[in-house]
Amino acid sequence: MKGRGLRVVASAKINWTLEILRIRPDGYHELRSVLQTIDLHDVVTLADDADIVLDITEDGGHLRDAPPESNLAYRAAAALRRRAGIAAGARITLEKHIPVAAGLGGGSSDAAAVLRGLNVLWGTQQSDTNLMEIAAEIGSDPPFFIAGGTALVSGRGDRVEPLPDAVAPAMLLAVPPQDERGEKTASMFAALTPHHFSEGEASVGLRAFAESGHMIVDDVLSNTFERVTSTMQPDTERAMDALRAQGHTPHLAGAGPSFFLLDAGHDLAALSSRLRELGFEPRLTRALRREQALRIEEA
Ligand code: C5P
């Protein structure tokens, strides 16, 4: 493998559903969520090196200022090396396109891409089940990205059931400016109270929907975090409300603050300029099939 390099796709995600069942004894929340990779993606390049080295291209913004050991991609490489009991190194280059801290899973996806790629580069031959276990050491979201495509996740996010690729219309993502984002997942979970909890029926329903091959529609989507956006993310709430008043149905992306609209193809230009007026950057996207989301190529 010496001298070889790999390019790994690290896709963003949205949640078709996101439901919270209860607080677990370990303090995490038990959830049910159907996740979907989308075609917005980072590119992770991996090459042999003496130690683990992290490079982030200029579009990585403030991620470049943080110590490498705090980056999920770096931590993923260290965790795989530990699990496999080897002394290998790698130069990891992150070419960022997924907006950071936007609810689109970019950091988690980079970490999973590092695990999938280094498993090939280092020849560590870990099964997907093992890679998901290692991914769960890094965070609650990375295990999903080992499966990609459409999947039902449960537990704290660490139990992943891959589903057939959902059939979905084009979507318009709305991303707030960088300075209005920030690490907010823990505070979004903390804002939930037991009356927001459910049994996860929407996620089970979405699984059946995906399995039957029906096109995704607004009515089958739900996200519990939308119940706390008015207090926790007022700018997102204001924008989503303004769109609802015009007859649209926006959906929060993960724990926010980005959101998305289904089937935006019809009045794309008008919707895009409305989003800009509301202070959000519009990005047209679509669901990314598992096979495409897991692409690894020679660099
Ligand atoms: O797992 P991760 O480090 O990404 O989670 C960030 C924070 O979000 C956790 O520290 C926890 O406060 C909250 N969380 C939770 N339940 C989950 C996932 C995350 O309460 N299932």
Side-chain angles (χ1 to χ4, degrees):
M1 290 285 170
K2 273 277 169 274
R4 242 186 70 178
L6 296 175
R7 276 165 55 90
V8 189
V9 168
S11 331
K13 61 80 183 164
I14 51 171
N15 304 65
W16 294 134
T17 61
L18 205 178
E19 299 169 284
I20 314 298
L21 278 61
R22 60 184 164 273
I23 301 180
R24 300 154 36 122
D26 62 8
Y28 281 88
H29 290 73
E30 178 73 21
L31 52 85
R32 296 284 181 279
S33 178
V34 177
L35 291 116
Q36 174 68 54
T37 43
I38 57 174
D39 65 357
L40 173 62
H41 65 87
D42 294 341
V43 178
V44 178
T45 308
L46 303 167
D48 284 309
D49 209 305
D51 208 340
I52 300 172
V53 187
L54 183 65
D55 278 339
I56 304 177
T57 54
E58 265 175 41
D59 34 18
H62 73 270
L63 278 185
R64 286 155 57 89
D65 306 330
E69 296 76 13
S70 69
N71 190 290
L72 299 186
Y74 182 99
R75 285 165 50 197
L80 176 61
R81 186 168 66 172
R82 203 164 45 240
R83 170 72 73 107
I86 57 168
R91 175 168 293 270
I92 303 167
T93 307
L94 300 184
E95 188 186 311
K96 293 295 297 176
H97 302 289
I98 307 173
V100 175
L104 302 171
S108 299
S109 187
D110 294 346
V114 165
L115 292 177
R116 291 190 294 110
L118 288 184
N119 198 34
V120 175
L121 191 76
W122 288 346
T124 37
Q125 301 195 1
Q126 300 288 316
S127 65
D128 277 1
T129 308
N130 283 0
L131 290 182
M132 281 183 197
E133 259 180 54
I134 304 167
E137 292 173 22
I138 313 297
S140 301
D141 270 352
F144 160 70
F145 291 102
I146 300 295
T150 311
L152 173 67
V153 311
S154 54
R156 66 177 173 88
D158 54 331
R159 295 211 336 256
V160 182
E161 180 191 339
L163 299 176
D165 288 307
V167 183
M171 292 170 269
L172 194 61
L173 268 182
V175 182
Q178 172 78 53
D179 57 8
E180 286 174 29
R181 298 183 238 139
E183 207 26 79
K184 74 312 117 174
T185 309
S187 58
M188 287 298 280
F189 274 106
L192 298 172
T193 61
H195 88 263
H196 297 124
F197 298 167
S198 70
E199 294 301 316
E201 307 88 337
S203 300
V204 174
L206 204 289
R207 171 172 59 186
F209 207 79
E211 283 171 343
S212 69
H214 291 311
M215 171 86 83
I216 296 285
V217 291
D218 289 317
D219 283 355
V220 297
L221 306 193
S222 72
N223 184 333
T224 301
F225 286 123
E226 287 177 10
R227 312 267 304 273
V228 295
T229 40
S230 58
T231 46
M232 303 298 292
Q233 297 173 351
D235 292 338
T236 293
E237 179 73 6
R238 237 186 325 272
M240 287 173 73
D241 265 349
L243 292 168
R244 286 185 193 113
Q246 291 182 295
H248 298 292
T249 309
H251 304 278
L252 196 67
S258 302
F259 62 88
F260 65 95
L261 297 142
L262 286 183
D263 205 9
H266 304 307
D267 46 1
L268 182 61
L271 255 179
S272 299
S273 61
R274 183 75 184 111
L275 284 177
R276 285 198 191 91
E277 278 167 24
L278 293 164
F280 285 70
E281 183 201 325
R283 293 210 190 182
L284 190 63
T285 190
R286 62 182 176 84
L288 193 67
R289 300 169 65 80
R290 172 164 302 117
E291 185 189 295
Q292 296 167 312
L294 299 181
R295 255 177 6 244
I296 299 182
E297 299 157 1
E298 303 267 329

